[in-house]
Amino acid sequence: MEKKVRTRFAPSPTGFMHIGNLRTALFEYLIAKSGGGDFVLRIEDTDQNRYVEGAEELIYKSLKIAGLKHDEGPDIGGKFGPYVQSLRRERYMEYAKELIDKGKAYYCFCSKERLESLKTENGNEFGGYDRHCRNLKNEEVKKNLSQGLPFVIRQKMPLGGVTTFEDEVFGEVTVENKELEDQILVKADGYPTYNFANVIDDHEMQITDIVRGCEYLSSTPKYNLLYEAFGWEIPRYIHLPLIMGKNPDGTVSKLSKRHGAVSFEDLLNDGYLPEAVINYIVLLGWCPEGNRELFSLEELVKEFSIKRISKSPAVFDYDKLDWFNGEYIRKESTQDFIKHAENYIRQGIGDKNFDIKKIASVLQQRLVKFTQIPDMISFLPDLPEYDKDLFINKKSKTNLENSLSVLKEAKTALENLDKWDFESIHDLILGLAKKMGVKNGTMMWPVRIAVSGQQTTPGGAIEILDILGKDESIKRISYAIEKLS
Ligand code: GLU
């Protein structure tokens, strides 16, 4: 019987959820769920210097917002717990000692100063630790330990031969063993390094598929040597391609803050919907069969396959993300849209008493990001100062003269309109165009400019009149007439 697929998301609590991390979590979720398996959350906090208060909560919150529900984790438990590495501390030491007994690891007592000097010393062609303590005599080790000398435990790498493994995405990877440093497994503070803890935990937690960024590709042979030393089965590896950002000069480089928001939180604060972000980032390194681009998470579970992960770097395109966000905004129910847009609308209209629902309905059709809203509707509370040349528009066949006469007619008619709602304004304006023998556009353009003071607006003339109300609309039209007279 095939083993149940188990993947794990193993973030370090650094205080924010980088897009790359979120993509890793998403792929791990999809690989587990598309195979009917488990998605495990493990917190990798062995680097206590980097500990950030509240970072764990942020991880739970981000996964929840993203819809990536884990089956086991620190917050919900599970049979392989604890799921926080600092709480598993004792067991790493035991495993490290087992490796020492097997001759695959050793105590190292080198001082910081000695290690520092190695970096500068000529002739350290290896470029790493010079294996000074690798062959210490047993008695010496015992003596040092009994004297309480600080130590680390290092992995004893083979000095010859090669280590090879097969990655599902990158194919066969081979390294010369002599290039592998005798890396530290347990640090002087008794904590394991990531390099050690991830292997122990992945084995103990019965993880079948290791999914992570390709920056770990070159370390994987070291992990495999550990699996072999323990006699454990090596998991399947799925390394994901780099995520790049576009530079102004057209080149690309590793995605960083200078390209734009790089954390999930920042994207949400910038006005993107979580569903849109998830849908967009699944395409960073994976492509579906066919041309379809819009997928819900459930649909992705059905569609996803490891075979279609690419090893070429993916470029994060903020314009494309905008497009996805717009699509998701359009798909929202009116109720959800208002829920998401309301604060931004209130910010835009200040203390004016406009109908939020009406504003929302013109915005939903045109919006790309929620954060655009205050600017887009700033003309509602205050008519901006504008140039009268805005009334000239070729397509609508308007000029300063016919704009003036249209506005005069509109003003009188609107003043006599008793029922101020979309339907009534609509009928009145179109009726007026007919009566004056002008095209609808020739009627609408000057009215819209008069009530908004700007070339482009969310919503047309009628919608804006409806939102502004009778008094304000007529005031603005009168001002335009003055301007044109
Ligand atoms: N803790 C590692 C990180 O945050 C996880 C790497 C892995 O998935 O193995 O980068």
Side-chain angles (χ1 to χ4, degrees):
M1 204 181 87
E2 277 237 358
K3 262 202 276 176
K4 188 177 194 186
V5 179
R6 286 174 59 82
T7 62
R8 88 300 192 268
F9 178 45
S12 304
T14 54
F16 66 98
M17 178 73 83
H18 191 278
I19 291 164
N21 271 352
L22 185 64
R23 182 195 59 173
T24 302
L26 173 61
F27 282 32
E28 282 156 348
Y29 175 86
L30 293 174
I31 289 168
K33 295 300 145 188
S34 60
D38 297 328
F39 171 56
V40 177
L41 173 63
R42 177 173 80 223
I43 303 290
E44 302 208 322
D45 61 345
T46 58
D47 190 349
Q48 292 288 305
N49 298 327
R50 281 173 62 204
Y51 188 79
V52 177
E53 202 67 49
E56 267 176 54
E57 280 63 40
L58 189 93
I59 293 170
Y60 305 138
K61 194 175 140 203
S62 303
L63 288 181
K64 191 160 178 232
I65 294 176
L68 307 178
K69 197 167 168 291
H70 50 288
D71 301 293
E72 295 161 33
D75 52 340
I76 52 174
K79 67 176 176 180
F80 299 101
Y83 292 89
V84 178
Q85 282 183 333
S86 57
L87 301 176
R88 305 169 65 80
R89 190 169 157 183
E90 273 80 47
R91 56 185 94 196
Y92 304 115
M93 190 54 116
E94 281 166 35
Y95 280 112
K97 287 187 175 153
E98 189 184 325
L99 282 181
I100 293 178
D101 293 342
K102 289 184 148 120
K104 302 288 186 186
Y106 60 93
Y107 289 103
C108 166
F109 300 95
C110 287
S111 65
K112 251 203 193 113
E113 293 71 34
R114 179 166 192 282
L115 295 175
E116 274 305 310
S117 73
L118 280 183
K119 287 185 187 155
T120 48
E121 212 172 83
N122 285 337
N124 179 21
E125 58 191 85
F126 185 74
Y129 179 58
D130 65 353
R131 303 184 162 135
H132 181 76
C133 295
R134 183 164 162 136
N135 297 311
L136 283 186
K137 294 253 158 13
N138 249 344
E139 299 82 71
E140 205 166 338
V141 171
K142 271 197 192 127
K143 195 183 89 202
N144 287 347
L145 289 176
S146 68
Q147 283 177 351
L149 279 193
F151 65 86
V152 300
I153 298 176
R154 291 184 182 272
Q155 187 176 354
K156 202 182 246 180
M157 297 298 178
L159 299 175
V162 296
T163 302
T164 296
F165 74 98
E166 187 70 23
D167 183 79
E168 294 296 316
V169 176
F170 285 81
E172 193 178 283
V173 179
T174 300
V175 295
E176 299 262 354
N177 289 336
K178 65 175 194 294
E179 275 164 21
L180 302 175
E181 186 181 359
D182 282 359
Q183 62 174 350
I184 297 177
L185 303 178
V186 178
K187 295 178 278 187
D189 63 4
Y191 276 94
T193 55
Y194 161 77
N195 288 327
F196 190 46
N198 89 91
V199 170
I200 304 299
D201 290 345
D202 286 340
H203 169 73
E204 286 206 336
M205 294 176 182
Q206 296 181 11
I207 304 301
T208 58
D209 294 53
I210 309 289
V211 186
R212 62 182 160 219
C214 60
E215 63 273 22
Y216 289 98
L217 209 49
S218 61
S219 307
T220 303
K222 302 182 200 171
Y223 308 147
N224 285 348
L225 289 167
L226 289 171
Y227 280 100
E228 279 166 13
F230 283 116
W232 295 340
E233 192 183 334
I234 292 176
R236 200 152 75 125
Y237 288 109
I238 299 147
H239 285 91
L240 306 179
L242 285 175
I243 302 179
M244 316 296 276
K246 272 194 230 167
N247 299 321
D249 65 0
T251 58
V252 295
S253 54
K254 202 168 167 206
L255 184 69
S256 74
K257 278 211 171 115
R258 67 201 160 89
H259 296 115
V262 291
S263 74
F264 189 39
E265 306 80 65
D266 285 347
L267 288 176
L268 299 180
N269 289 336
D270 277 357
Y272 293 103
L273 288 170
E275 299 82 359
V277 175
I278 288 293
N279 193 159
Y280 175 61
I281 65 171
V282 81
L283 301 173
L284 295 174
W286 176 80
C287 69
E289 267 173 69
N291 296 327
R292 184 167 161 205
E293 288 184 301
L294 292 171
F295 293 95
S296 68
L297 195 55
E298 297 78 60
E299 289 166 336
L300 284 174
V301 169
K302 291 199 196 108
E303 199 74 19
F304 197 80
S305 104
I306 296 172
K307 289 196 182 64
R308 303 188 68 86
I309 301 177
S310 151
K311 63 180 171 190
S312 9
V315 180
F316 196 98
D317 179 347
Y318 288 89
D319 295 333
K320 188 76 191 181
L321 176 60
D322 282 353
W323 178 83
F324 272 94
N325 207 48
E327 293 296 309
Y328 275 85
I329 286 176
R330 241 78 68 219
K331 281 210 268 186
E332 286 196 297
S333 68
T334 308
Q335 224 178 353
D336 281 347
F337 179 77
I338 292 176
K339 199 172 86 197
H340 291 137
E342 179 161 356
N343 276 339
Y344 295 103
I345 295 178
R346 291 199 186 280
Q347 223 174 298
I349 61 177
D351 55 4
K352 292 280 162 53
N353 200 10
F354 295 127
D355 187 325
I356 302 278
K357 272 194 202 141
K358 284 183 186 167
I359 299 177
S361 94
V362 297
L363 286 172
Q364 190 171 6
Q365 296 320 310
R366 296 161 179 88
L367 206 59
V368 168
K369 280 195 280 193
F370 289 95
T371 40
Q372 296 172 304
I373 294 178
D375 265 356
M376 273 170 99
I377 61 173
S378 62
F379 70 90
L380 289 174
D382 302 295
L383 180 69
E385 204 27 67
Y386 62 97
D387 195 289
K388 68 177 177 207
D389 283 349
L390 274 189
F391 286 106
I392 307 170
N393 182 266
K394 221 169 159 187
K395 204 171 143 225
S396 306
K397 295 196 167 37
T398 58
N399 51 43
L400 298 180
E401 294 71 43
N402 66 5
S403 291
L404 179 60
S405 47
V406 159
L407 287 173
K408 280 182 173 166
E409 289 285 333
K411 184 182 168 213
T412 319
L414 287 167
E415 274 169 347
N416 293 323
L417 184 66
D418 294 328
K419 205 163 160 235
W420 196 269
D421 59 23
F422 184 89
E423 285 291 296
S424 319
I425 303 169
H426 174 266
D427 294 350
L428 178 139
I429 296 279
L430 293 196
L432 210 54
K434 212 170 189 179
K435 198 180 116 197
M436 292 180 73
V438 298
K439 292 175 63 168
N440 288 347
T442 315
M443 189 76 217
M444 303 279 201
W445 182 273
V447 174
R448 195 175 57 82
I449 297 297
V451 292
S452 70
Q454 58 193 40
Q455 182 135 14
T456 48
T457 51
I462 299 165
E463 285 152 321
I464 297 171
L465 286 164
D466 184 25
I467 291 168
L468 285 176
K470 187 168 177 175
D471 292 348
E472 182 63 23
S473 299
I474 288 172
K475 207 169 106 193
R476 291 185 184 194
I477 293 173
S478 309
Y479 174 71
I481 292 173
E482 242 174 72
K483 226 180 170 49
L484 287 170
S485 298

